[in-house]
């Protein structure tokens, strides 16, 4: 087995474990760098054909599945399991897919028949071997019926699920659910992010997911009497008025970078900027917890 390089290269062959949990939320947050992969488990194998723009990789998945072999020949000779696909952000030091063989002589045109790799686009063209070919809607439908795939960026988990489905259709018993259940304690656990911040702004809630950050509060948890004395219901919309006025008065850089998603029973703000929303959350929480200053502020809104 060739030594893994720190940076994946075209032609590298990687293993695809078929026994890890299929949780989309955890795919890019879990650290598998120290996970004890079992050599006698069921793996699929793929090859990096091309690194494309936007951290999207074009890969092919081979028909060979089983234990990790000593050389790549049996993998390559097995042919493709299905047509090449695009994968988003598939490789990282902590990722679940690991490179096992490299080929310094790899040529994507020769070894992966690159000129005949094709994808359809819903906007009226076909991509084939680096060329963009304009086609009619009728032609696109014909090509799709003939098996030419649409250009879609998949996740690693999407491909793992698809591979297991193909193998099961071939009558191969995976025992996937049983293995996942038995090994639950082995798998890496999601890292608790922003723990200190969450504790600091209680009872406000903080949530982060894929570049989107949310600050929320159950409307009835805080300062209900302050609202009542100022003839306000204290619902999510009242909290929105207070937060908007607070932003304006404090001249916080959150007007254009945050948006409100409040409902009657919930105050909620979202932003793509963690820094901006975090700074607002800390200052707004400090202000809200000072009931005297909060009530005085409410009286000025009327």
């Amino acid at each position: 087995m060739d030594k893994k390089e720190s940076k994946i290269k075209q032609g590298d062959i990687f293993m695809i474990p078929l026994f890890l949990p299929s949780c989309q939320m955890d795919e890019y947050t879990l650290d598998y760098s120290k996970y004890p992969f079992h050599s006698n488990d069921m793996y699929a194998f793929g090859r990096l054909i091309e690194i494309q723009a936007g951290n999207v990789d074009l890969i092919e998945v081979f028909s060979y599945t089983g234990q990790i072999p000593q050389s790549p020949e049996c993998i390559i000779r097995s042919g493709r399991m299905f047509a090449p696909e695009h994968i988003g952000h598939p490789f990282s030091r902590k990722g679940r897919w690991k490179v096992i063989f490299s080929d310094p002589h790899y040529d994507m045109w020769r070894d992966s028949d690159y000129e005949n790799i094709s994808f359809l686009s819903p906007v009226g063209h076909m991509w084939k071997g680096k060329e963009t070919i304009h086609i009619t809607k009728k032609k696109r439908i014909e090509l799709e019926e003939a098996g030419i795939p649409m250009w879609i960026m998949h996740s690693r988990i999407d491909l793992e699920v698809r591979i297991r489905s193909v193998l099961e259709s071939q009558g191969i018993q995976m025992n996937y659910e049983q293995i996942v259940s038995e090994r639950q304690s082995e798998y890496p656990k999601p890292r608790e992010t922003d723990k200190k911040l969450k504790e600091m702004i209680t009872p406000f809630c903080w949530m982060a997911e894929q570049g989107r950050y949310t600050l929320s509060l159950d409307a009835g948890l805080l300062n209900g009497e302050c609202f009542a004395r100022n003839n306000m219901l204290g619902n999510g919309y009242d909290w929105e008025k207070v937060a908007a006025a607070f932003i304006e008065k404090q001249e916080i850089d959150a007007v254009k970078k945050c948006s409100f998603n409040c409902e009657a029973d919930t105050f909620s703000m979202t932003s793509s900027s963690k820094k901006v929303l975090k700074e607002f959350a800390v200052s707004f929480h400090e202000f809200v917890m000072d009931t005297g200053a909060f009530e005085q502020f409410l009286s000025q809104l009327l």
Side-chain angles (χ1 to χ4, degrees), residues 133-284:
I133 305 169
H134 293 282
I135 56 176
T136 64
K137 182 178 180 180
K138 180 181 178 181
K139 185 64 174 178
R140 181 183 65 78
I141 294 173
E142 291 176 356
L143 291 171
E144 189 172 4
E145 291 177 347
I148 304 298
M150 299 295 291
W151 198 111
I152 299 173
M153 187 181 75
H154 299 278
S155 70
R156 291 173 293 194
I157 285 176
D158 290 336
L159 262 293
E160 291 171 18
V161 171
R162 183 177 178 185
I163 292 167
R164 287 197 296 268
S165 177
V166 170
L167 295 178
E168 289 169 359
S169 71
Q170 296 173 352
I172 298 175
Q173 296 298 318
M174 301 291 296
N175 297 321
Y176 172 72
E177 299 294 342
Q178 178 182 339
I179 292 173
V180 169
S181 177
E182 292 174 349
R183 297 184 184 175
Q184 202 61 50
S185 61
E186 292 183 12
Y187 299 129
K189 302 297 187 292
R191 182 171 60 89
E192 177 64 33
T193 59
D194 303 309
K195 182 178 181 180
K196 185 176 180 180
L197 173 63
K198 292 177 181 178
E199 293 173 349
M200 184 186 304
I201 64 173
T202 301
F204 286 84
C205 295
W206 176 269
M207 184 172 65
E209 53 179 0
Q210 298 182 338
R212 178 183 172 91
Y213 305 92
T214 303
L215 176 71
S216 64
L217 175 73
D218 289 344
L221 285 180
L222 286 174
N223 299 351
E225 293 181 358
C226 296
F227 281 109
R229 284 193 289 268
N230 286 274
N231 300 313
M232 300 176 76
L233 297 175
N235 58 23
Y237 306 115
D238 286 338
W239 276 99
E240 178 177 336
K241 293 177 185 176
V242 174
F246 181 79
I247 289 171
E248 183 177 357
K249 184 175 181 179
Q250 300 295 321
E251 297 182 351
I252 299 173
D253 184 26
V255 177
K256 295 182 179 180
K257 296 182 179 179
C258 297
S259 60
F260 292 103
N261 300 283
C262 301
E263 298 180 355
D265 59 352
T266 308
F267 164 75
S268 178
M269 283 180 71
T270 61
S271 178
S272 60
S273 172
K274 179 178 181 179
K275 180 177 183 294
V276 169
L277 189 59
K278 179 179 177 180
E279 289 177 353
F280 169 79
V282 172
S283 60
F284 190 58

Side-chain angles (χ1 to χ4, degrees), residues 66-84:
Q67 299 181 18
I68 300 174
Q70 293 299 311
S71 69
E73 281 72 24
C74 62
I75 297 173
I76 297 171
R77 285 199 305 266
S78 69
R80 291 174 180 155
M81 182 177 290
F82 41 75

Side-chain angles (χ1 to χ4, degrees), residues 39-56:
S39 61
N40 60 344
D41 269 327
M42 173 73 79
Y43 295 88
F45 301 87
R47 177 163 61 186
L48 175 61
I49 298 174
E50 183 181 32
I51 299 173
Q52 299 186 339
N55 203 8
V56 176

